[in-house]
Amino acid sequence: MNRWLNILDYAIISLLRRRRKQIALVVIYTLVVAFFASVIFFTGALRQEAVYVLSDLPELWVQRLAGGRLVPIAQSKIDSIAVIRGVKRVLPRLWGYYYDSPSGAVFTITGSDSLPKGLKLLDAAIGGGLDSNQVFCGSGFPETHFTGLGQQLGLIDYKGCLHSFEIVGRFSSQSDLLTRDLIILSPSAARKILGIAKNNYTDLAVEVWNPDEAETVGRKIDRLFPSVRVVTSAQLRSTYEALFSHRGGIFIYGALISLFSFLILAWDRASGLSREERQELGILKGIGWQISDVLWMKFWEGAVISLTSTICGLVLAYLHVFYLNAPLLRPFLIGWSVLYPEYRLQPAFAFSEVLLIVMLAVVPFIAATIIPAWRGAVTDPAEVMQNG
Amino acid sequence: MLTHTWIITQTLGQTIAVILLLIVVFKSLPILMHWNRESASFLQLKLERRTYLISTIIQFVFWYQIAGLLLFLITVNNILPGSIKGAMCATGVLSVNIFGYPLLWIKLIAVIVYAQFLFLNRMDGREPLYPLTPNKYYWLFPALLLVIADFILSLLYFSKIEPDIIATCCSISFSTAKDSSIFFIAANVRMVPMLIFFYLSFALLVISVIFFNRGPELSFVISLGFTTTAVFLLKNHFVKYIYGLPSHNCLFDIFWGRYYYIGYILFSALIISLICSLLLLTLKYIEKGLSAPVKPIRKILQWGAVLGSTLFTLLCSIYWLNWIFLD
Amino acid sequence: MAEPLIRAQKIVKTFNTGRSNELTVLHELDIEVGKNTFVLLKGPSGSGKTTLLTILGCLARPTSGNLRCMGEEVSHWPEKFLTRFRQKYIGVVFQNFNLIGGLTAFRNIAAALIPRNLSNKAIDARVRSAAEQVRIGHRLDFHISELSGGEMQRVAVARCLVGDPQIIIADEPTAHLDSRLASEIIWLFNQMKRNGKTVIVATHDPLVQEQADIDRVLCIRDGQLQPEE
């Protein structure tokens, strides 16, 4: 035990003594770790957002398809579905996308009389439901257009006519991801803007009494109406999970390449012992150090360097992703950067991510230094006398 | 699923292990071919130095693979059940395709092989004359095979996990809940012979390890019997008392925080006991060539075998008795 | 005492065995060194002095022949055991001081104790006592680069003494020192012998032969012992 501490002590002193040489290595190492830790934190945070978003979804979701395209679904379907055994409630939904040319962003328009559940009004000018010339909106629109509560908001309908609405409320939710760009109109106004005929809806959300039966009910709906597509929230969740995993995974593999190029550097540096280092190891062997002592010293050196760099890299990545909003990664995730120019990620990262980063950063580095360390450690103890 | 963070970590870890073991086996070939203890030649000196490299790498890989086994258990017990539909615990996760259980087995066997090599290496390092070199290096070949098998199986297993295919979980393990509570408390009748065998083999193991120094073969065979019975009974009998559910026979829920991660302790105790009795057997065969005293080593191994099996038996019995006497 | 401290029989040392540049440096040497003696090893450079010292000091193995040291047959021991043996019984003073640059005198001396299982306190005490013996105690916290040549040599001697060895091996300890400093070092070696240690010094500095408390002189030429002059 004492021996290990003594060797650790010597390793740290020995590193500090050569700190100028180590700094370059630690800086590069830190940057590499910061890069792939950023990727992991970023994709992890996106995935977390998706989980928040999906947690409020209904179990089933019915859409109508014609020629593979989504088309509005008629009122009559609601009644037919509502009578199926196990269905608790059918909620027709009106929504669509709206391209806003001045800001170049895409907003989501939803038709509803009141605020959907899960959303929280930050400030409101009215108490009850929406009139046909009033809107609630997420924080995205007011910010991009520099407007606020009580101001007018102009939307162009599908025929090209401009309609003006008064902003009567601003809302937020746990996740900014899907609500930031949301605009809520009254159903009739939403129909006008989105071009959906009366008695038609974008799709239907179906609540069931027993979530375990969702799959069965879904299959029943599917059989009854050949032209519809039924999506279960479980499917959606898996798809999202797979999508985020996939996207993140590809990034991680990309980041690994930088890690490996760094390892080659580390290998190169560690294997080419300088004359001084060689002489020092020779002296240590000469004054009674065992091969295993030198190996331990080199191991501690590697561990100190890699842990220092990993911790610095983790801190840098955290700041980069959660305080600066990942300015260096945004351009790569094009979809996000266009949709959410000012989108802020929630600081959330899991133990597994930190574990992954530590595993990826520390283990390969130490593995790559074993052989060079051994080369130094087997220096002949007699060499120091012969070279005298 | 190869893009899941936990899985990337393990795949990468396995890749490093394969590379390191390939280096080790490649470097040990000249030792197997040219080792000559009497010689003072340059080659011999070089080979002697190389033995340090090999033992360092194997030690590194050993600890690292133990960590890998833990990571794997955490992944299948605590992480993947969230991503695989229908899988509530590791039973479902492991049986999601045919590679799951073989992978777990390979990982366990690999730990035993590393332990065997490190033990031989340790015993060899105590002697000035290298009595076990080069023969101990033959153990590197099974280690390499296992690590490659582990790598390939991991890739197959993880890549073939489709999150949208519904896994059948331990619903099969839920025995029909018609057993009355009397039976539940007094132990299922079918289990009685097994339970007798379990406690008997435990007693025999302790006795044979402590008192029959000359017959480690016997201890090892008993230890094998004890371990098998222990796992069987844990799954079919003791877990019910750990969970406090009469019909829940899932072996893997004991790895959950809800049950204080007791599974990690139980299985560590079991595997330590098994490894120690295996090493006692090994010690008997190499003892003749050794000059340094082996008594303290044997004592440690005996303690390991006895304490490991005792801890397991004690913990399981406490859970069981707790139910009998509380009700 | 029935057995001498060191008994070397038919020591042969060949470098690069089995290669085209094979070179035999020592030819079947026989040496016996008793306890508490001061042995001077003389010979021109390239004669095999240093090689013989590495073998007597258990830093290297002979190619063939037997070496008994402190009652142990060490000639075929692997490096690990030789090193352990050296830690226990042998201290070495190298030519050119061979101190580790950038460290303080204290850490240079302590480096020899690191492989042993000693607490910080014990290391501290031992280093200070060794430093006092060679009268360098007041300079322990200085970096090697701040020390004079004589002080550096004394640090090197302290490092050799800190493990309390029975046998002290020195290779050209007075090289690069002026005669005043050389005398000081020779005085230190005499002190060691007075303290009951066995000292083997290889040098061709005549000053050593003049001032040291020498019991035996061994001459080596072309890897063979010459009769004493």
Side-chain angles (χ1 to χ4, degrees):
Chain A
M1 197 57 207
N2 271 325
R3 204 181 107 212
W4 283 4
L5 289 178
N6 295 342
I7 293 174
L8 173 62
D9 182 51
Y10 186 89
I12 291 172
I13 295 288
S14 147
L15 278 179
L16 288 177
R17 188 160 47 100
R18 286 177 276 130
R19 66 179 99 74
R20 240 179 245 139
K21 263 178 158 177
Q22 311 300 337
I23 278 174
L25 182 75
V26 169
V27 166
I28 299 172
Y29 198 163
T30 302
L31 289 178
V32 171
V33 172
F35 173 53
F36 73 72
S38 296
V39 170
I40 289 168
F41 285 162
F42 189 61
T43 51
L46 285 182
R47 197 190 312 203
Q48 192 55 46
E49 296 284 335
V51 169
Y52 286 139
V53 169
L54 292 168
S55 59
D56 283 339
L57 284 183
E59 287 87 5
L60 286 174
W61 204 331
V62 180
Q63 300 170 322
R64 206 178 114 210
L65 293 179
R69 287 171 299 117
L70 283 182
V71 292
I73 196 162
Q75 173 93 50
S76 57
K77 289 272 189 333
I78 299 175
D79 309 321
S80 333
I81 290 172
V83 298
I84 292 173
R85 190 189 292 265
V87 172
K88 181 176 164 193
R89 204 149 55 121
V90 182
L91 300 164
R93 306 196 312 174
L94 276 171
W95 59 272
Y97 297 117
Y98 178 82
Y99 176 68
D100 182 56
S101 46
S103 64
V106 175
F107 292 95
T108 305
I109 288 182
T110 299
S112 174
D113 290 322
S114 57
L115 207 64
K117 69 171 182 185
L119 299 184
K120 183 171 88 223
L121 268 187
L122 291 177
D123 35 30
I126 56 162
L130 281 173
D131 276 349
S132 63
N133 60 348
Q134 294 177 323
V135 295
F136 288 136
C137 49
S139 46
F141 193 91
E143 275 171 28
T144 47
H145 289 75
F146 308 105
T147 60
L149 211 62
Q151 305 264 6
Q152 294 294 306
L153 177 155
L155 296 173
I156 298 166
D157 71 12
Y158 74 108
K159 284 184 239 156
C161 304
L162 182 74
H163 298 268
S164 183
F165 301 94
E166 188 196 349
I167 301 175
V168 294
R170 222 154 47 81
F171 54 79
S172 76
S173 71
Q174 194 173 18
S175 158
D176 257 357
L177 184 63
L178 289 190
T179 53
R180 216 180 126 73
D181 67 327
L182 197 61
I183 298 172
I184 299 174
L185 300 175
S186 67
S188 60
R191 280 214 170 82
K192 234 185 289 169
I193 301 292
L194 298 171
I196 297 174
K198 208 161 191 297
N199 289 335
N200 274 0
Y201 294 93
T202 310
D203 58 15
L204 308 175
V206 179
E207 284 176 20
V208 294
W209 290 109
N210 177 358
D212 292 342
E213 286 178 3
E215 200 80 32
T216 324
V217 174
R219 238 173 283 140
K220 232 183 258 178
I221 299 172
D222 207 30
R223 260 204 312 274
L224 282 174
F225 310 103
S227 65
V228 304
R229 174 167 74 182
V230 183
V231 182
T232 65
S233 65
Q235 270 172 358
L236 206 64
R237 206 161 289 150
S238 294
T239 312
Y240 259 82
E241 176 79 7
L243 181 76
F244 278 117
S245 257
H246 185 66
R247 231 182 207 188
I250 286 176
F251 261 101
I252 290 166
Y253 280 116
L256 280 182
I257 295 170
S258 65
L259 180 69
F260 277 115
S261 46
F262 164 72
L263 282 181
I264 293 166
L265 176 93
W267 172 281
D268 187 51
R269 210 198 66 90
S271 57
L273 285 175
S274 71
R275 219 183 62 82
E276 279 163 56
E277 281 172 291
R278 245 194 109 68
Q279 204 203 352
E280 179 182 339
L281 291 183
I283 296 170
L284 293 177
K285 290 294 295 281
I287 61 176
W289 283 47
Q290 295 279 11
I291 292 178
S292 57
D293 296 330
V294 180
L295 282 172
W296 270 110
M297 183 187 85
K298 288 278 158 195
F299 170 80
W300 286 128
E301 276 189 18
V304 168
I305 287 184
S306 65
L307 284 176
T308 314
S309 310
T310 305
I311 291 167
C312 292
L314 280 171
V315 171
L316 269 185
Y318 190 89
L319 295 177
H320 172 224
V321 172
F322 297 117
Y323 283 88
L324 302 175
N325 274 312
L328 300 176
L329 287 177
R330 241 152 226 280
F332 297 102
L333 290 160
I334 290 164
W336 301 111
S337 63
V338 172
L339 275 176
Y340 310 105
E342 280 299 318
Y343 173 65
R344 189 161 275 278
L345 290 162
Q346 301 294 315
F349 64 100
F351 170 68
S352 78
E353 288 167 353
V354 176
L355 186 77
L356 170 76
I357 292 161
V358 172
M359 272 294 261
L360 291 187
V362 176
V363 173
F365 180 80
I366 290 177
T369 50
I370 289 181
I371 292 181
W374 166 76
R375 278 210 195 111
V378 295
T379 311
D380 197 331
E383 198 178 283
V384 64
M385 287 191 85
Q386 301 288 3
N387 289 348
Chain B
M1 287 299 277
L2 280 177
T3 47
H4 198 285
T5 43
W6 281 84
I7 292 170
I8 297 175
T9 315
Q10 287 173 56
T11 319
L12 196 89
Q14 284 307 316
T15 318
I16 293 172
V18 169
I19 293 172
L20 285 177
L21 268 183
L22 277 174
I23 292 176
V24 156
V25 168
F26 180 71
K27 293 263 179 191
S28 70
L29 288 179
I31 298 181
L32 286 170
M33 289 188 292
H34 302 298
W35 184 266
N36 178 5
R37 206 177 61 208
E38 305 301 321
S39 160
S41 69
F42 187 72
L43 178 68
Q44 176 65 13
L45 203 65
K46 204 171 115 186
L47 295 182
E48 276 179 25
R49 293 195 172 141
R50 200 170 268 189
T51 60
Y52 284 91
L53 176 66
I54 292 169
S55 62
T56 308
I57 293 183
I58 296 284
Q59 273 179 50
F60 180 74
V61 173
F62 173 74
W63 289 114
Y64 174 58
Q65 292 283 76
I66 294 231
L69 180 62
L70 269 177
L71 275 185
F72 181 74
L73 286 175
I74 294 173
T75 311
V76 296
N77 283 307
N78 307 73
I79 309 296
L80 284 181
S83 311
I84 299 178
K85 264 203 303 176
M88 285 174 284
C89 67
T91 315
V93 173
L94 284 173
S95 53
V96 74
N97 61 43
I98 56 164
F99 305 111
Y101 277 104
L103 182 57
L104 181 62
W105 281 113
I106 293 266
K107 280 178 187 290
L108 289 173
I109 296 170
V111 167
I112 295 176
V113 170
Y114 292 131
Q116 171 84 348
F117 177 81
L118 286 176
F119 176 69
L120 290 175
N121 195 47
R122 191 67 185 267
M123 300 308 289
D124 202 23
R126 289 161 21 111
E127 310 274 329
L129 297 174
Y130 295 99
L132 304 176
T133 311
N135 289 335
K136 67 179 176 189
Y137 289 106
Y138 286 111
W139 280 96
L140 293 178
F141 293 103
L144 177 68
L145 284 182
L146 283 167
V147 97
I148 290 175
D150 188 337
F151 177 67
I152 294 172
L153 278 176
S154 303
L155 274 187
L156 286 171
Y157 172 66
F158 288 130
S159 64
K160 292 256 157 71
I161 292 179
E162 313 250 335
D164 36 317
I165 286 178
I166 299 174
T168 39
C169 192
C170 29
S171 42
I172 315 152
S173 309
F174 275 89
S175 61
T176 41
K178 63 188 168 194
D179 301 12
S180 72
S181 61
I182 308 271
F183 272 104
F184 171 46
I185 287 157
N188 199 321
V189 175
R190 283 179 296 140
M191 290 300 152
V192 170
M194 285 309 275
L195 279 168
I196 294 173
F197 186 77
F198 172 71
Y199 286 107
L200 201 68
S201 64
F202 167 67
L204 278 175
L205 179 64
V206 172
I207 292 169
S208 73
V209 163
I210 295 179
F211 297 105
F212 295 100
N213 279 343
R214 304 251 165 271
E217 293 93 344
L218 181 70
S219 314
F220 180 61
V221 170
I222 297 173
S223 178
L224 276 180
F226 170 76
T227 310
T228 327
T229 330
V231 174
F232 176 83
L233 276 179
L234 185 63
K235 181 179 172 1
N236 291 299
H237 178 74
F238 290 118
V239 286
K240 293 189 260 187
Y241 305 98
I242 295 176
Y243 304 140
L245 293 169
S247 56
H248 195 174
N249 276 350
C250 183
L251 180 58
F252 289 101
D253 288 359
I254 48 173
F255 288 101
W256 286 359
R258 202 188 307 162
Y259 304 109
Y260 308 107
Y261 302 105
I262 190 78
Y264 291 103
I265 297 170
L266 288 175
F267 276 93
S268 309
L270 211 52
I271 204 159
I272 286 173
S273 169
L274 183 65
I275 286 178
C276 285
S277 37
L278 171 70
L279 294 184
L280 277 172
L281 181 62
T282 311
L283 188 59
K284 187 195 165 180
Y285 283 94
I286 59 170
E287 198 177 355
K288 270 174 267 145
L290 304 178
S291 60
V294 294
K295 227 174 174 175
I297 305 280
R298 178 178 288 128
K299 202 145 238 166
I300 292 169
L301 292 176
Q302 283 171 330
W303 274 108
V306 169
L307 285 184
S309 53
T310 310
L311 182 66
F312 181 90
T313 312
L314 212 63
L315 278 176
C316 285
S317 307
I318 286 172
Y319 274 106
W320 185 27
L321 294 177
N322 194 27
W323 268 93
I324 294 179
F325 289 117
L326 276 188
D327 277 24
Chain C
M1 183 178 262
E3 199 184 304
L5 202 65
I6 300 172
R7 178 194 281 157
Q9 289 173 313
K10 292 191 185 323
I11 295 291
V12 175
K13 180 68 183 179
T14 309
F15 287 103
N16 303 320
T17 339
R19 290 184 169 188
S20 57
N21 56 350
E22 191 173 300
L23 175 71
T24 302
V25 179
L26 298 177
H27 303 277
E28 306 210 341
L29 282 173
D30 294 310
I31 297 174
E32 285 188 8
V33 178
K35 203 169 154 29
N36 194 16
T37 45
F38 196 132
V39 179
L40 181 70
L41 205 57
K42 278 201 332 186
S45 47
S47 59
K49 278 195 315 264
T50 303
T51 308
L52 182 59
L53 277 188
T54 62
I55 289 171
L56 294 179
C58 296
L59 287 145
R61 279 188 289 181
T63 310
S64 71
N66 292 315
L67 179 69
R68 281 186 76 83
C69 196
M70 310 284 300
E72 302 249 29
E73 174 65 55
V74 300
S75 36
H76 291 290
W77 278 3
E79 189 186 317
K80 181 175 167 184
F81 288 82
L82 280 181
T83 305
R84 199 178 289 166
F85 186 78
R86 245 172 341 112
Q87 285 177 7
K88 233 175 174 170
Y89 300 117
I90 299 171
V92 185
V93 180
F94 304 103
Q95 199 178 345
N96 288 343
F97 325 134
N98 265 333
L99 297 173
I100 298 165
L103 293 183
T104 60
F106 179 89
R107 286 201 172 270
N108 260 288
I109 300 171
L113 293 177
I114 281 176
R116 304 183 192 199
N117 215 352
L118 293 174
S119 69
N120 263 335
K121 237 186 191 161
I123 289 182
D124 197 77
R126 281 195 178 208
V127 169
R128 290 195 188 282
S129 106
E132 286 312 322
Q133 279 183 54
V134 299
R135 294 185 291 179
I136 193 77
H138 58 296
R139 303 284 279 170
L140 277 179
D141 293 328
F142 286 80
H143 277 261
I144 290 304
S145 50
E146 298 162 330
L147 299 181
S148 69
E151 285 169 331
M152 278 160 87
Q153 187 62 307
R154 275 187 279 164
V155 170
V157 174
R159 183 176 65 185
C160 148
L161 288 177
V162 74
D164 194 23
Q166 290 296 304
I167 302 166
I168 287 144
I169 304 258
D171 191 14
E172 302 283 3
T174 56
H176 314 294
L177 292 180
D178 62 38
S179 53
R180 191 178 59 83
L181 293 175
S183 311
E184 207 173 302
I185 293 299
I186 294 165
W187 179 83
L188 283 174
F189 281 111
N190 287 340
Q191 280 299 109
M192 291 178 203
K193 197 211 146 185
R194 220 157 295 150
N195 290 342
K197 319 234 182 240
T198 299
V199 184
I200 305 174
V201 177
T203 185
H204 46 236
D205 185 351
L207 202 66
V208 177
Q209 201 163 3
E210 272 171 41
Q211 300 188 349
D213 196 359
I214 291 167
D215 299 299
R216 275 180 75 193
V217 178
L218 297 171
C219 284
I220 186 165
R221 191 177 291 271
D222 297 327
Q224 272 165 329
L225 280 185
Q226 303 287 305
E228 280 178 47
E229 290 155 32

